[in-house]
Amino acid sequence: MDDEAAAWSDRGLKRSLRALERPEGAQVVHEGETLHNFGSNDYLGLACDPRVVEAGIAVARQYGWGATASPLVVGWHRPHQDLADALARFERAKAAIVFPSGYAALCGTVAALAGSGDAVYSDQLNHASLIDGARLSHSQVRVYPHADPAALAAMLEADRRRFRRRLIVTDGVFSMDGTLAPLGELADLADRFGAMLLVDEAHGTGVYGPDGRGACSACGVAERVPVRVGTLSKSLGSAGGFVAGSRRLIDWLINHARPFIFSTALPPAVAAAAGEALKILEAQPWRRERVVALGERLRVKLRASGRQIGRSGGPIIPVLIGDAAATLTLAERLRQRGFLAPAIRPPSVPEGTSRLRISVSAAHDAAAVDQLADAVSEEQP
Ligand SMILES: Cc1ncc(COP(=O)(O)O)c(C=O)c1O
């Protein structure tokens, strides 16, 4: 282990934890220094919203903190069901359920829907939770080139009649690139080949689509995507994951999704906080508009300075550097200038594509965004 750990470190890949304090809004304090936080997924600025916090506290007073058991035993409480109902309504789905995390929801849903004799078709840049779910499912895993419906079509064609069920899985918004999956084409392929389509809405919910319903809605295919999985931990500022779909799908998951069945339910207070955040998300579209506008503002400035930022849209902006050590150095220089902009390295991204992953929030002010743009533009590499 020591040898491997040393090699890992030599490649600039070692990670360590940083314990942050959190005064308010989009700032954090680390080792006595106040930093602008450009690394969180709190896109709508709801994680510190007093209404969200108070909703959690009120339910904690009534229900206590822990859920005390897994959902099918005695862990599923009224706040969980209220949240599931609210999410189903928001997603315009027949039903929804809530998992302990987005990771658990994705991993557990893939593994519950596909098994031996089935095939999972997975975008090359999918999040680890989809990759791990596919591995756990005991099905044949086919990785298709990133956002390439033609390549996927060829795989589906070659596999005709070889499998019992076929499941196409994709991030809706790719978390390290800020780009949308070609969901219209994927929905067409699912129809054409009789496959199921699962979309991870982790970074779509709250930000994309006319009502913030996510990437599927932004691409006009929400009604054609039978399995929509999301998280409560990003735009909803809380923790937990959810799946929305048909009653048949949700009943299936309640009976077959192992992270749902064999893990203690979320604290009821966490579910209540997420439910409050969902209400705010729906009532305050300005949050979505603001975060999108701030993202665009930063993108324009970074592009003008010659930085490579890919084809991102929305709040996620990758600043592509390539080398892992150089990316770490840049992140550290920015930190010294008062900005937390995390360095993302393999295995989170492919070798040679290390980057800063900047994310903006409705809680940022435009001045901080401009200062960050200047700092990123001035620093090397
Ligand atoms: C694309 C994507 N899917 C799923 C997840 C998992 O969500 P959670 O953090 O709620 O477990 C994440 C979060 O890190 C993510 O970026």
PDB file of all heavy atoms in Angstrom, residues 41 101-104 106 127 129 171 173 175 200 202-203 231-234 240, ligand 1:
ATOM      1  N   ASN A  41     -21.849  22.556  -5.284  1.00  0.00           N
ATOM      2  CA  ASN A  41     -22.958  22.308  -6.219  1.00  0.00           C
ATOM      3  C   ASN A  41     -24.247  22.938  -5.709  1.00  0.00           C
ATOM      4  O   ASN A  41     -25.341  22.537  -6.096  1.00  0.00           O
ATOM      5  CB  ASN A  41     -23.166  20.798  -6.396  1.00  0.00           C
ATOM      6  CG  ASN A  41     -21.926  20.119  -6.925  1.00  0.00           C
ATOM      7  OD1 ASN A  41     -21.358  20.571  -7.909  1.00  0.00           O
ATOM      8  ND2 ASN A  41     -21.481  19.064  -6.258  1.00  0.00           N
ATOM      9  N   SER A 101     -28.744   8.642  -0.778  1.00  0.00           N
ATOM     10  CA  SER A 101     -27.879   9.599  -1.494  1.00  0.00           C
ATOM     11  C   SER A 101     -28.159   9.477  -2.985  1.00  0.00           C
ATOM     12  O   SER A 101     -28.790   8.500  -3.430  1.00  0.00           O
ATOM     13  CB  SER A 101     -26.389   9.303  -1.238  1.00  0.00           C
ATOM     14  OG  SER A 101     -26.011   8.120  -1.896  1.00  0.00           O
ATOM     15  N   GLY A 102     -27.666  10.444  -3.748  1.00  0.00           N
ATOM     16  CA  GLY A 102     -27.792  10.355  -5.200  1.00  0.00           C
ATOM     17  C   GLY A 102     -27.010   9.156  -5.712  1.00  0.00           C
ATOM     18  O   GLY A 102     -27.466   8.428  -6.597  1.00  0.00           O
ATOM     19  N   TYR A 103     -25.833   8.949  -5.133  1.00  0.00           N
ATOM     20  CA  TYR A 103     -25.005   7.799  -5.530  1.00  0.00           C
ATOM     21  C   TYR A 103     -25.800   6.504  -5.342  1.00  0.00           C
ATOM     22  O   TYR A 103     -25.857   5.650  -6.234  1.00  0.00           O
ATOM     23  CB  TYR A 103     -23.721   7.788  -4.685  1.00  0.00           C
ATOM     24  CG  TYR A 103     -22.833   6.616  -4.975  1.00  0.00           C
ATOM     25  CD1 TYR A 103     -21.820   6.706  -5.924  1.00  0.00           C
ATOM     26  CD2 TYR A 103     -23.014   5.403  -4.317  1.00  0.00           C
ATOM     27  CE1 TYR A 103     -21.009   5.624  -6.196  1.00  0.00           C
ATOM     28  CE2 TYR A 103     -22.216   4.316  -4.592  1.00  0.00           C
ATOM     29  CZ  TYR A 103     -21.208   4.426  -5.534  1.00  0.00           C
ATOM     30  OH  TYR A 103     -20.413   3.339  -5.817  1.00  0.00           O
ATOM     31  N   ALA A 104     -26.421   6.366  -4.185  1.00  0.00           N
ATOM     32  CA  ALA A 104     -27.190   5.149  -3.890  1.00  0.00           C
ATOM     33  C   ALA A 104     -28.365   5.006  -4.855  1.00  0.00           C
ATOM     34  O   ALA A 104     -28.688   3.899  -5.304  1.00  0.00           O
ATOM     35  CB  ALA A 104     -27.681   5.186  -2.445  1.00  0.00           C
ATOM     36  N   LEU A 106     -28.614   6.105  -7.964  1.00  0.00           N
ATOM     37  CA  LEU A 106     -28.172   5.728  -9.309  1.00  0.00           C
ATOM     38  C   LEU A 106     -27.658   4.300  -9.347  1.00  0.00           C
ATOM     39  O   LEU A 106     -28.060   3.492 -10.186  1.00  0.00           O
ATOM     40  CB  LEU A 106     -27.097   6.708  -9.775  1.00  0.00           C
ATOM     41  CG  LEU A 106     -27.715   8.048 -10.152  1.00  0.00           C
ATOM     42  CD1 LEU A 106     -26.777   9.198  -9.893  1.00  0.00           C
ATOM     43  CD2 LEU A 106     -28.171   8.029 -11.605  1.00  0.00           C
ATOM     44  N   HIS A 127     -20.975   9.437 -14.622  1.00  0.00           N
ATOM     45  CA  HIS A 127     -20.569   9.526 -13.222  1.00  0.00           C
ATOM     46  C   HIS A 127     -20.323   8.132 -12.643  1.00  0.00           C
ATOM     47  O   HIS A 127     -20.941   7.143 -13.061  1.00  0.00           O
ATOM     48  CB  HIS A 127     -21.686  10.233 -12.434  1.00  0.00           C
ATOM     49  CG  HIS A 127     -21.308  10.523 -11.019  1.00  0.00           C
ATOM     50  ND1 HIS A 127     -21.731   9.759  -9.958  1.00  0.00           N
ATOM     51  CD2 HIS A 127     -20.527  11.494 -10.487  1.00  0.00           C
ATOM     52  CE1 HIS A 127     -21.243  10.261  -8.832  1.00  0.00           C
ATOM     53  NE2 HIS A 127     -20.511  11.318  -9.129  1.00  0.00           N
ATOM     54  N   SER A 129     -21.342   6.702 -10.093  1.00  0.00           N
ATOM     55  CA  SER A 129     -22.493   5.977  -9.549  1.00  0.00           C
ATOM     56  C   SER A 129     -23.170   5.124 -10.632  1.00  0.00           C
ATOM     57  O   SER A 129     -23.681   4.036 -10.339  1.00  0.00           O
ATOM     58  CB  SER A 129     -23.496   6.958  -8.940  1.00  0.00           C
ATOM     59  OG  SER A 129     -23.765   7.999  -9.849  1.00  0.00           O
ATOM     60  N   ASP A 171     -25.499  10.496 -17.848  1.00  0.00           N
ATOM     61  CA  ASP A 171     -25.659  11.758 -17.121  1.00  0.00           C
ATOM     62  C   ASP A 171     -26.485  12.675 -18.022  1.00  0.00           C
ATOM     63  O   ASP A 171     -26.294  12.665 -19.241  1.00  0.00           O
ATOM     64  CB  ASP A 171     -24.299  12.448 -16.913  1.00  0.00           C
ATOM     65  CG  ASP A 171     -23.428  11.781 -15.862  1.00  0.00           C
ATOM     66  OD1 ASP A 171     -23.717  10.633 -15.488  1.00  0.00           O
ATOM     67  OD2 ASP A 171     -22.443  12.420 -15.433  1.00  0.00           O
ATOM     68  N   VAL A 173     -26.519  16.124 -17.449  1.00  0.00           N
ATOM     69  CA  VAL A 173     -25.484  17.158 -17.557  1.00  0.00           C
ATOM     70  C   VAL A 173     -24.192  16.504 -17.061  1.00  0.00           C
ATOM     71  O   VAL A 173     -24.174  15.972 -15.941  1.00  0.00           O
ATOM     72  CB  VAL A 173     -25.798  18.379 -16.670  1.00  0.00           C
ATOM     73  CG1 VAL A 173     -24.672  19.403 -16.733  1.00  0.00           C
ATOM     74  CG2 VAL A 173     -27.129  19.007 -17.070  1.00  0.00           C
ATOM     75  N   SER A 175     -20.958  16.108 -15.263  1.00  0.00           N
ATOM     76  CA  SER A 175     -20.624  16.901 -14.081  1.00  0.00           C
ATOM     77  C   SER A 175     -19.271  17.590 -14.161  1.00  0.00           C
ATOM     78  O   SER A 175     -19.045  18.584 -13.486  1.00  0.00           O
ATOM     79  CB  SER A 175     -20.650  16.010 -12.841  1.00  0.00           C
ATOM     80  OG  SER A 175     -19.814  14.891 -13.021  1.00  0.00           O
ATOM     81  N   ASP A 200     -29.452  10.589 -15.415  1.00  0.00           N
ATOM     82  CA  ASP A 200     -29.024  11.126 -14.124  1.00  0.00           C
ATOM     83  C   ASP A 200     -29.198  12.648 -14.168  1.00  0.00           C
ATOM     84  O   ASP A 200     -28.479  13.338 -14.894  1.00  0.00           O
ATOM     85  CB  ASP A 200     -27.556  10.750 -13.905  1.00  0.00           C
ATOM     86  CG  ASP A 200     -26.956  11.395 -12.665  1.00  0.00           C
ATOM     87  OD1 ASP A 200     -27.686  12.080 -11.929  1.00  0.00           O
ATOM     88  OD2 ASP A 200     -25.743  11.212 -12.444  1.00  0.00           O
ATOM     89  N   ALA A 202     -28.605  14.735 -11.738  1.00  0.00           N
ATOM     90  CA  ALA A 202     -27.924  15.342 -10.581  1.00  0.00           C
ATOM     91  C   ALA A 202     -27.632  16.828 -10.788  1.00  0.00           C
ATOM     92  O   ALA A 202     -27.888  17.649  -9.913  1.00  0.00           O
ATOM     93  CB  ALA A 202     -26.639  14.587 -10.269  1.00  0.00           C
ATOM     94  N   HIS A 203     -27.090  17.169 -11.961  1.00  0.00           N
ATOM     95  CA  HIS A 203     -26.720  18.569 -12.195  1.00  0.00           C
ATOM     96  C   HIS A 203     -27.734  19.302 -13.073  1.00  0.00           C
ATOM     97  O   HIS A 203     -27.499  20.446 -13.476  1.00  0.00           O
ATOM     98  CB  HIS A 203     -25.319  18.654 -12.817  1.00  0.00           C
ATOM     99  CG  HIS A 203     -24.277  18.093 -11.917  1.00  0.00           C
ATOM    100  ND1 HIS A 203     -23.658  18.838 -10.940  1.00  0.00           N
ATOM    101  CD2 HIS A 203     -23.796  16.832 -11.791  1.00  0.00           C
ATOM    102  CE1 HIS A 203     -22.813  18.063 -10.277  1.00  0.00           C
ATOM    103  NE2 HIS A 203     -22.879  16.838 -10.769  1.00  0.00           N
ATOM    104  N   THR A 231     -30.727  14.063  -7.505  1.00  0.00           N
ATOM    105  CA  THR A 231     -30.174  14.142  -6.156  1.00  0.00           C
ATOM    106  C   THR A 231     -30.766  15.353  -5.438  1.00  0.00           C
ATOM    107  O   THR A 231     -31.166  16.333  -6.072  1.00  0.00           O
ATOM    108  CB  THR A 231     -28.631  14.191  -6.193  1.00  0.00           C
ATOM    109  OG1 THR A 231     -28.162  14.504  -4.894  1.00  0.00           O
ATOM    110  CG2 THR A 231     -28.103  15.210  -7.162  1.00  0.00           C
ATOM    111  N   LEU A 232     -30.803  15.245  -4.138  1.00  0.00           N
ATOM    112  CA  LEU A 232     -31.284  16.353  -3.301  1.00  0.00           C
ATOM    113  C   LEU A 232     -30.101  17.191  -2.821  1.00  0.00           C
ATOM    114  O   LEU A 232     -30.280  18.160  -2.090  1.00  0.00           O
ATOM    115  CB  LEU A 232     -32.048  15.801  -2.085  1.00  0.00           C
ATOM    116  CG  LEU A 232     -33.109  14.740  -2.406  1.00  0.00           C
ATOM    117  CD1 LEU A 232     -33.641  14.102  -1.131  1.00  0.00           C
ATOM    118  CD2 LEU A 232     -34.252  15.360  -3.198  1.00  0.00           C
ATOM    119  N   SER A 233     -28.899  16.789  -3.240  1.00  0.00           N
ATOM    120  CA  SER A 233     -27.692  17.346  -2.619  1.00  0.00           C
ATOM    121  C   SER A 233     -27.100  18.526  -3.377  1.00  0.00           C
ATOM    122  O   SER A 233     -26.131  19.116  -2.915  1.00  0.00           O
ATOM    123  CB  SER A 233     -26.635  16.251  -2.520  1.00  0.00           C
ATOM    124  OG  SER A 233     -26.270  15.812  -3.811  1.00  0.00           O
ATOM    125  N   LYS A 234     -27.647  18.871  -4.536  1.00  0.00           N
ATOM    126  CA  LYS A 234     -27.009  19.940  -5.315  1.00  0.00           C
ATOM    127  C   LYS A 234     -27.941  21.152  -5.318  1.00  0.00           C
ATOM    128  O   LYS A 234     -27.942  21.911  -4.358  1.00  0.00           O
ATOM    129  CB  LYS A 234     -26.631  19.394  -6.681  1.00  0.00           C
ATOM    130  CG  LYS A 234     -25.709  18.163  -6.485  1.00  0.00           C
ATOM    131  CD  LYS A 234     -25.078  17.659  -7.702  1.00  0.00           C
ATOM    132  CE  LYS A 234     -24.413  16.297  -7.528  1.00  0.00           C
ATOM    133  NZ  LYS A 234     -23.481  16.134  -6.437  1.00  0.00           N
ATOM    134  N   GLY A 240     -29.367  13.240  -0.163  1.00  0.00           N
ATOM    135  CA  GLY A 240     -30.287  12.185  -0.565  1.00  0.00           C
ATOM    136  C   GLY A 240     -30.446  12.165  -2.071  1.00  0.00           C
ATOM    137  O   GLY A 240     -29.995  13.075  -2.771  1.00  0.00           O
TER     138      GLY A 240
HETATM  139  C1  LIG B   1     -23.380  13.355 -12.056  1.00  0.00           C
HETATM  140  C2  LIG B   1     -23.560  12.958 -10.637  1.00  0.00           C
HETATM  141  N1  LIG B   1     -24.397  11.960 -10.351  1.00  0.00           N
HETATM  142  C3  LIG B   1     -24.593  11.551  -9.095  1.00  0.00           C
HETATM  143  C4  LIG B   1     -23.958  12.131  -8.027  1.00  0.00           C
HETATM  144  C5  LIG B   1     -24.185  11.609  -6.644  1.00  0.00           C
HETATM  145  O1  LIG B   1     -25.033  12.414  -5.918  1.00  0.00           O
HETATM  146  P1  LIG B   1     -24.912  12.518  -4.333  1.00  0.00           P
HETATM  147  O2  LIG B   1     -23.759  13.420  -4.044  1.00  0.00           O
HETATM  148  O3  LIG B   1     -26.215  13.072  -3.912  1.00  0.00           O
HETATM  149  O4  LIG B   1     -24.667  11.146  -3.807  1.00  0.00           O
HETATM  150  C6  LIG B   1     -23.103  13.193  -8.272  1.00  0.00           C
HETATM  151  C7  LIG B   1     -22.481  13.914  -7.127  1.00  0.00           C
HETATM  152  O5  LIG B   1     -21.442  13.943  -6.783  1.00  0.00           O
HETATM  153  C8  LIG B   1     -22.881  13.605  -9.601  1.00  0.00           C
HETATM  154  O6  LIG B   1     -22.021  14.584  -9.880  1.00  0.00           O
END
